[in-house]
Amino acid sequence: MTQPVSPPVSKHNINPAVFYVSSTIVITISLFAVIAPQTADATFKAIQASIVNNASWYYILSVAIILIATLYLAVSRYGSIKLGPDHIKPDYRSSSWFAMLFSAGMGIGLMFFGIAEPLMHFLSPPVGEGNNIDAARQAMRLTFFHWGLHAWGIYAIVALILAFFAFRHHLPLTLRSALYPLIGDKIYGPIGHAVDVFAVVGTLFGVATSLGYGVLQVNAGLNHLFPHIPIGTHTQIILIIAITALATLSVVSGLDKGIKLLSEFNLGLAVLLMLFVLFAGSTVFLLQALVQNIGHYASHIVSMTFNLFAYEKTDWVGGWTILYWGWWLSWAPFVGLFIARISRGRSIREFVIGVLLVPTGFTFMWMTFFGNSAIDMVLNQHIASLGNIVSHDVSLALFAFLEQLPFSTFFAYVALLMVVVFFVTSADSGALVMDLLCTYGQGSHGLKYRIYWSVGTGLVAIALLLAGGLSALQTMAIASALPFVTVLLIAMYGLFKALDVEFEKQLIQHISPPTVAPMMRSQGAWRERLHVMMHLPNQQEVHRFIDHTIKNACEELATEWQQLGTPAQVQHPASGKVLLNIQQADDMDFTYQIIATAHQTAEQTYYRAEIYLHQGGQDYDVMGWSKEGVINDIIDQFHKHQHLLHRLR
């Protein structure tokens, strides 16, 4: 990998090629849906049928490859590589991190399908008879399959690609950066624009799909609690407008205030509702079912992953698995970029384990407590009306289920509030992501573009509802994922290629310890170094050392490099900070930086003159070294850099 160039800058920080092209595509499809809804509905159904019939194998195989690659990264030699410089700490504490990625990733879906999907598989399984114990086992296994590791594996690999190139290599926080190892600076040209356009369009239709499900459930919940509020398109449009307005307010408040607080609030409500279902129902049975469901899922995951029902002709795969894979893939640019945005500072291993296991574990508990409770009501408590309601109207499933438990009215209000908040967090997160995709990952100047995407998502959801309701929403989820999954597979290749380079960097850094032999230091320098090591220097001492000794050493070396025909530059941006940069034509530049870094003991604050290379801090201190000692350390590090370039050629 060569040294990346900076992305071009335009008015309001907007990339016109991505913003206007993606807007045109979205507006064209939406107008088509509004002006000719019947034609649009027929067209969407034809597209869905064509994809399911001809490309289902491609979706299945691609998602399998993605999951295998993600799991491999967690246990591979690359696991210790950080998403950012080596010295960096995570931006968010783990609890906030989990709350935000969970709320953005699946919130609305869990509320909508937590009851409905297990019951629908139970009543009408793909294989065998329904409404029996075997059907119950199969229903939970299939639900886990659709909502488990595969979904979060897709999110994880996209987020990892984005975070690695953005925080480790200072490339734009957009999907185009994943292609840098393959096409270099051409990512700022038409190819990169096309990739980001796919990501914007997929994100908008993916979020709009989720919002469509969400508003159907809000409408059903309001009608359940307030019968005078009708269920219908007009009500749903009003709800989309109202909730989009709330999402816009959250967008205006920013990531740390709006999205973070709403996510933490909703996760708290989710835990409350889940625990209520656990303890209000058959607690021991649900805990037993959770353990058994996980075991059953784990033992069948390989066969389920590759099952296309090739020998049993059925449209079940297209109506369920392919829909879900398309849904997760269409959401992946959005959720992946959002997760990347909040994951700076974590190692690849920590990141993959966290993104895969924590949300998946919560999802499994949610699906078991709600799904198994609902199946038990139908199978053992003979509440057949619950199954009939789900078969008739999926959006009523959650509220009909809660009716069978104590304090049903109160928790129906809680559930309705959760759906609204998940709606808001999805919409405002989506607006933030689309804004980043249209600005080379930097964000636009001002709020109008984020508001534009927030409002636009609501309008698209309205258009798709008018075009054919759920079928239109489902089709757009599947169709928008098709070009993206191809881009994603190419990006994964680019990621592994870049990780090989990064691992070589780490290997080269440990060839020799970062010290200079005593004979290479000036006479008597050892006394000064010993003196420094035996006390804790203050800020003034370290700043003075960097501003004089270090700066002089770097300037002397830079002069020598320039005489050898190699461009070299010394920067002294502030007291206590010096940077030496050696430009190497088409190869990676060499960067050596010394920064005065504060540290704390129980009694006092002390400072170190620490070394930072391109990949981050090196965890050693040169305070008290002679000028010759510093020069030789720079040459040592440059020698390692040259050895790395040799290994990569």
Side-chain angles (χ1 to χ4, degrees):
M1 291 175 63
T2 58
Q3 198 77 3
V5 300
S6 299
V9 179
S10 61
K11 188 178 180 182
H12 304 299
N13 218 33
I14 288 291
N15 179 359
V18 176
F19 179 80
Y20 290 111
V21 173
S22 56
S23 294
T24 301
I25 293 173
V26 169
I27 291 171
T28 301
I29 294 174
S30 301
L31 286 176
F32 175 51
V34 172
I35 295 171
Q38 292 182 343
T39 305
D41 185 37
T43 303
F44 291 154
K45 287 179 178 177
I47 293 172
Q48 180 171 346
S50 177
I51 292 174
V52 170
N53 293 332
N54 300 304
S56 57
W57 66 270
Y58 185 59
Y59 278 87
I60 295 292
L61 181 61
S62 298
V63 172
I65 292 171
I66 290 168
L67 179 59
I68 293 169
T70 306
L71 292 171
Y72 170 75
L73 286 172
V75 299
S76 70
R77 60 182 185 174
Y78 309 128
S80 60
I81 297 172
K82 275 200 172 184
L83 302 177
D86 291 335
H87 60 278
I88 200 170
K89 302 295 183 184
D91 288 347
Y92 297 95
R93 67 180 189 272
S94 294
S95 59
S96 297
W97 183 55
F98 294 143
M100 285 192 284
L101 66 89
F102 177 78
S103 293
M106 288 191 176
I108 291 178
L110 288 182
M111 299 296 294
F112 195 88
F113 288 104
I115 300 294
E117 182 169 349
L119 272 179
M120 292 170 77
H121 293 324
F122 169 69
L123 296 171
S124 183
V127 178
E129 299 293 324
N131 208 357
N132 55 46
I133 293 175
D134 287 337
R137 293 194 189 98
Q138 187 179 189
M140 295 311 302
R141 185 177 77 241
L142 292 171
T143 302
F144 274 31
F145 173 57
H146 290 149
W147 292 84
L149 294 177
H150 293 76
W152 286 100
I154 294 170
Y155 292 162
I157 198 69
V158 174
L160 185 58
I161 290 168
L162 296 171
F164 176 79
F165 288 107
F167 303 139
R168 192 80 180 179
H169 293 280
H170 312 293
L171 289 167
L173 187 59
T174 65
L175 199 66
R176 70 175 67 213
S177 297
L179 302 182
Y180 190 83
L182 305 176
I183 62 175
D185 293 333
K186 291 180 181 178
I187 63 168
Y188 300 116
I191 297 175
H193 299 332
V195 170
D196 283 349
V197 166
F198 281 136
V200 172
V201 174
T203 296
L204 195 141
F205 283 120
V207 175
T209 302
S210 185
L211 299 189
Y213 283 120
V215 79
L216 292 177
Q217 194 168 28
V218 172
N219 192 181
L222 286 173
N223 177 262
H224 181 77
L225 294 170
F226 309 101
H228 62 278
I229 298 177
I231 294 177
T233 304
H234 290 93
T235 305
Q236 290 158 10
I237 289 173
I238 294 171
L239 288 172
I240 289 176
I241 294 171
I243 300 176
T244 300
L246 293 175
T248 304
L249 290 175
S250 179
V251 165
V252 171
S253 64
L255 179 63
D256 289 332
K257 291 182 180 179
I259 300 175
K260 177 173 173 285
L261 292 176
L262 283 175
S263 298
E264 291 177 342
F265 171 74
N266 226 32
L267 183 61
L269 288 181
V271 171
L272 173 66
L273 186 58
M274 188 173 66
L275 290 177
F276 163 70
V277 172
L278 172 64
F279 292 113
S282 304
T283 307
V284 175
F285 161 71
L286 292 176
L287 293 174
Q288 290 173 335
L290 175 62
V291 175
Q292 186 166 329
N293 289 343
I294 292 173
H296 208 206
Y297 166 73
S299 64
H300 289 79
I301 189 169
V302 175
S303 61
M304 289 190 297
T305 297
F306 296 96
N307 187 12
L308 279 159
F309 291 93
Y311 301 103
E312 303 153 305
K313 300 303 179 184
T314 175
D315 59 356
W316 187 89
V317 172
W320 285 102
T321 304
I322 303 303
L323 170 63
Y324 274 120
W325 286 186
W327 194 4
W328 305 144
L329 285 164
S330 67
W331 264 56
F334 150 50
V335 179
L337 200 153
F338 183 77
I339 293 174
R341 170 68 176 77
I342 62 175
S343 300
R344 189 168 67 114
R346 301 186 183 274
S347 70
I348 288 178
R349 184 170 293 109
E350 177 188 10
F351 173 87
V352 172
I353 291 174
V355 174
L356 275 186
L357 298 187
V358 175
T360 299
F362 188 94
T363 301
F364 285 176
M365 287 191 290
W366 183 279
M367 290 300 189
T368 296
F369 298 163
F370 283 81
N372 273 110
S373 294
I375 290 173
D376 184 63
M377 289 177 182
V378 176
L379 181 64
N380 298 318
Q381 300 178 36
H382 308 293
I383 306 175
S385 59
L386 182 59
N388 295 332
I389 290 172
V390 170
S391 300
H392 178 68
D393 188 351
V394 176
S395 60
L396 276 173
L398 177 60
F399 302 101
F401 167 77
L402 291 174
E403 262 192 350
Q404 310 302 322
L405 300 175
F407 312 108
S408 60
T409 303
F410 171 76
F411 283 100
Y413 280 108
V414 171
L416 186 62
L417 177 61
M418 285 177 63
V419 175
V420 172
V421 176
F422 276 134
F423 198 135
V424 171
T425 55
S426 297
D428 60 11
S429 301
L432 173 67
V433 165
M434 285 182 282
D435 184 62
L436 291 172
L437 287 167
C438 294
T439 58
Y440 296 102
Q442 299 173 6
S444 59
H445 296 159
L447 295 171
K448 63 181 180 180
Y449 288 100
R450 276 182 284 170
I451 294 173
Y452 169 84
W453 289 116
S454 177
V455 173
T457 302
L459 293 175
V460 170
I462 291 172
L464 293 177
L465 277 175
L466 293 173
L470 282 180
S471 65
L473 296 169
Q474 291 174 351
T475 302
M476 293 314 302
I478 294 173
S480 62
L482 188 57
F484 174 72
V485 72
T486 303
V487 172
L488 181 56
L489 293 174
I490 297 170
M492 285 169 55
Y493 174 76
L495 173 67
F496 277 92
K497 188 175 178 180
L499 286 172
D500 279 335
V501 175
E502 205 63 38
F503 185 77
E504 288 291 338
K505 284 183 185 178
Q506 291 189 342
L507 194 65
I508 296 299
Q509 276 307 118
H510 295 90
I511 289 178
S512 60
T515 58
V516 182
M519 71 280 297
M520 304 299 290
R521 301 190 181 101
S522 62
Q523 188 70 27
W526 65 270
R527 289 188 175 89
E528 184 179 357
R529 291 191 66 216
L530 183 61
H531 174 77
V532 170
M533 286 188 291
M534 294 308 294
H535 88 289
L536 301 176
N538 58 34
Q539 184 181 26
Q540 186 179 4
E541 290 174 301
V542 177
H543 276 222
R544 185 168 57 248
F545 173 75
I546 293 175
D547 297 344
H548 294 89
T549 304
I550 298 292
K551 183 171 175 287
N552 291 338
C554 290
E555 288 176 342
E556 188 170 325
L557 259 178
T559 301
E560 193 69 24
W561 255 304
Q562 289 168 354
Q563 290 177 358
L564 293 170
T566 300
Q569 185 182 16
V570 178
Q571 299 175 23
H572 188 204
S575 179
K577 185 175 182 179
V578 172
L579 182 144
L580 172 65
N581 185 71
I582 310 300
Q583 299 176 23
Q584 295 197 277
D586 294 332
D587 287 322
M588 289 182 291
D589 290 356
F590 171 72
T591 301
Y592 186 96
Q593 193 170 193
I594 304 92
I595 302 176
T597 309
H599 297 270
Q600 190 72 44
T601 67
E603 296 82 20
Q604 68 180 95
T605 300
Y606 68 98
Y607 283 75
R608 287 160 43 105
E610 295 185 353
I611 304 303
Y612 290 77
L613 304 179
H614 176 75
Q615 62 266 34
Q618 299 303 296
D619 294 324
Y620 69 97
D621 180 23
V622 298
M623 179 63 191
W625 288 29
S626 67
K627 183 175 74 173
E628 287 76 13
V630 174
I631 287 174
N632 278 279
D633 185 60
I634 296 173
I635 292 174
D636 281 350
Q637 295 290 5
F638 182 74
H639 180 264
K640 294 178 182 180
H641 180 76
Q642 292 294 95
H643 188 57
L644 169 66
L645 297 181
H646 166 72
R647 294 277 295 264
L648 297 177
R649 290 186 183 117

